Amino acid sequence: MINRVLQSTVETRMFRGKAIIIVGPRQVGKTTLLRALQTSGEHKIVNWNCDEPDVRQKLTNPTSTQLRSEIGSADLILIDEAQRVQNIGLTLKLLIDNFPEKQIVVTGSSALDLSNSINEPLTGRKYEYVLYPLSAEELIAHFGAQDEKRLLERRLLYGCYPDVINNPGEEREILTNIAGSYLYKDIFAFQDVRKPEIIEQLLQALALQIGSEVSFNELGGMLGLNSLTVQRYMDLLEKSYVIFHLRSFSRNVRSELKKSRKIYFYDNGVRNALIGDFKPLNLRQDTGALWENYIISERIKHNAYHQFYGKSYFWRTQQQQEIDYIEDVDGILHAYEFKWNPERKVRLTDTFAKNYPDHTFSVIHPDNYRDFIGN
């Protein structure tokens, strides 16, 4: 088993009178993480798998008396695939309020957020975390830095889903299944999407624009949708942990772009599966974009797992001066450029340096990326 960074975070939050909610895309190892928690301490455990019809029935609108009977003397309550239970938020609220001495750990897909079934009932009663595909930090800890560097091209092509990592040679088949509607079927179950095929077409269009600014109007014109519908669909895809966005950074320079956004995929393999392209890097025109998507997504994972409280952006001016990635931490701007070729010389633009003197600047490439992603 590849140890997950999130496990230690979860263990430090246990038995504080709040539920621990672990959400994230399908197939990233949430159930495996629950199993690891089962064996990590000396607890009496109740384990409810909500794929089972009888479990769903007992957790749908129970009384506190019924729950007490089911829990018995257990002090750790594990609930897997919680999105399958109707009104699960109310059941969890009942558990927390009536059994504050017990620890509840819940996993669920993005449906928990899309259906809004936990947010309101559990206000102030939960710690919530996202489990992502395997991170470079976790893979380096498991396989070693040298082996991971040798496998870096494979990570850019096939990504880091656990099934992909654990089944070399079967990457294309696995990713084709993941990148199909399976990955985002929660959207169809909990939201009104009248033309499901449009979601896949939108994702394919976004996959061809990673690292570039995206326009709702332009995407709408391509897909025959209005810009508000495109914006809504992209928001749903973000809530399903398929994509994420960076906003443009601006404080005081007139020529800065102020309302732009760039879209990235949480996993390179999913992106490449959507466009059906797994060619090696030496035959591709998008190697730079793949590196940028990979390294930013890895930074997002690292920041989420290590409670980073800064804000992330990109920067660009109307004159096409740009910086790939910026983190604003306590007023200090940390600027980064991402280059696949370590010998590529990069200089910070004078416009940025003069207007933001409180800054650092680094170029991240395959020879030094380990520090950037936390290992």
Side-chain angles (χ1 to χ4, degrees):
M1 176 183 164
I2 299 172
N3 292 326
R4 307 306 300 263
V5 173
L6 188 58
Q7 180 177 343
S8 60
T9 301
V10 167
E11 288 172 347
T12 64
R13 298 293 188 272
M14 291 175 68
F15 297 100
R16 295 190 184 184
K18 294 186 179 183
I20 295 173
I21 312 295
I22 302 170
V23 296
R26 297 168 182 270
Q27 299 286 306
V28 294
K30 296 186 293 295
T31 300
T32 303
L33 179 56
L34 272 195
R35 292 196 194 107
L37 291 173
Q38 275 185 272
T39 59
S40 66
E42 306 225 350
H43 301 289
K44 291 184 178 180
I45 297 169
V46 168
N47 195 345
W48 287 325
N49 178 358
C50 301
D51 281 335
E52 299 284 353
D54 59 328
V55 172
R56 292 199 297 273
Q57 184 176 5
K58 76 174 65 171
L59 293 181
T60 301
N61 300 321
T63 65
S64 58
T65 302
Q66 290 170 327
L67 289 172
R68 182 173 286 105
S69 174
E70 294 288 345
I71 294 169
S73 61
D75 62 340
L76 180 59
I77 304 164
L78 305 178
I79 305 176
D80 197 16
E81 300 290 352
Q83 78 279 354
R84 299 190 182 280
V85 179
Q86 189 174 7
N87 297 324
I88 184 62
L90 295 175
T91 300
L92 294 175
K93 180 178 181 295
L94 205 60
L95 283 166
I96 297 163
D97 291 349
N98 285 276
F99 311 102
E101 75 285 1
K102 302 181 186 295
Q103 180 59 57
I104 304 157
V105 183
V106 181
T107 73
S109 71
S110 56
L112 278 172
D113 284 333
L114 289 169
S115 64
N116 200 29
S117 59
I118 62 169
N119 290 331
E120 187 174 342
L122 296 190
T123 300
R125 294 177 172 88
K126 64 182 171 71
Y127 297 111
E128 186 168 345
Y129 303 99
V130 179
L131 187 68
Y132 299 99
L134 289 163
S135 69
E137 181 180 3
E138 292 162 339
L139 293 170
I140 288 171
H142 185 80
F143 292 113
Q146 186 174 21
D147 281 355
E148 266 307 294
K149 186 170 183 183
R150 291 169 180 161
L151 291 166
L152 190 54
E153 178 171 346
R154 295 184 66 81
R155 305 301 184 231
L156 265 64
L157 295 177
Y158 298 117
C160 299
Y161 268 79
D163 268 2
V164 169
I165 300 297
N166 291 325
N167 295 281
E170 301 177 26
E171 295 93 346
R172 292 184 183 221
E173 180 181 357
I174 293 167
L175 285 166
T176 298
N177 289 332
I178 291 175
S181 61
Y182 180 79
L183 185 61
Y184 41 92
K185 71 178 183 180
D186 288 337
I187 295 175
F188 306 140
F190 291 94
Q191 299 290 323
D192 178 23
V193 177
R194 297 180 183 179
K195 295 182 179 180
E197 68 277 4
I198 292 292
I199 293 287
E200 187 166 353
Q201 293 172 19
L202 174 59
L203 279 170
Q204 289 170 343
L206 294 172
L208 293 169
Q209 297 186 45
I210 55 169
S212 302
E213 294 164 58
V214 297
S215 162
F216 297 141
N217 288 330
E218 181 183 325
L219 289 167
M222 292 169 53
L223 300 171
L225 302 172
N226 63 55
S227 61
L228 289 177
T229 300
V230 171
Q231 188 171 355
R232 173 175 172 256
Y233 285 179
M234 287 174 61
D235 180 61
L236 292 175
L237 288 167
E238 290 204 48
K239 289 178 178 176
S240 297
Y241 308 105
V242 182
I243 61 173
F244 63 94
H245 76 273
L246 292 181
R247 293 190 180 277
S248 55
F249 176 84
S250 176
R251 277 191 191 158
N252 56 15
V253 180
R254 182 175 297 179
S255 63
E256 288 174 335
L257 300 181
K258 296 176 173 61
K259 295 183 179 180
S260 297
R261 65 171 58 198
K262 297 204 294 189
I263 298 295
Y264 297 92
F265 283 76
Y266 280 113
D267 188 77
N268 275 40
V270 168
R271 181 267 179 179
N272 290 332
L274 285 164
I275 61 173
D277 188 354
F278 293 101
K279 291 194 302 290
L281 296 183
N282 63 347
L283 299 178
R284 303 182 74 103
Q285 300 297 314
D286 61 353
T287 299
L290 285 177
W291 175 242
E292 182 177 331
N293 190 90
Y294 171 79
I295 205 69
I296 291 180
S297 65
E298 287 300 323
R299 184 67 171 185
I300 295 297
K301 295 175 194 175
H302 171 267
N303 288 350
Y305 291 154
H306 295 280
Q307 290 79 56
F308 169 79
Y309 296 110
K311 295 184 178 181
S312 302
Y313 307 91
F314 74 96
W315 181 84
R316 186 170 294 169
T317 68
Q318 295 171 4
Q319 291 76 34
Q320 303 302 305
Q321 298 167 307
E322 61 182 299
I323 298 172
D324 290 334
Y325 182 73
I326 292 173
E327 289 180 348
D328 182 354
V329 184
D330 298 329
I332 306 297
L333 301 182
H334 302 275
Y336 300 93
E337 282 287 310
F338 306 119
K339 300 299 177 186
W340 177 246
N341 182 356
E343 298 180 3
R344 178 85 176 270
K345 301 300 181 185
V346 182
R347 180 172 170 271
L348 182 64
T349 172
D350 288 341
T351 301
F352 185 88
K354 290 177 181 177
N355 283 279
Y356 304 110
D358 292 332
H359 72 265
T360 66
F361 177 64
S362 303
V363 180
I364 307 300
H365 48 72
D367 288 348
N368 69 358
Y369 79 106
R370 284 180 55 198
D371 290 338
F372 185 67
I373 51 84
N375 196 303

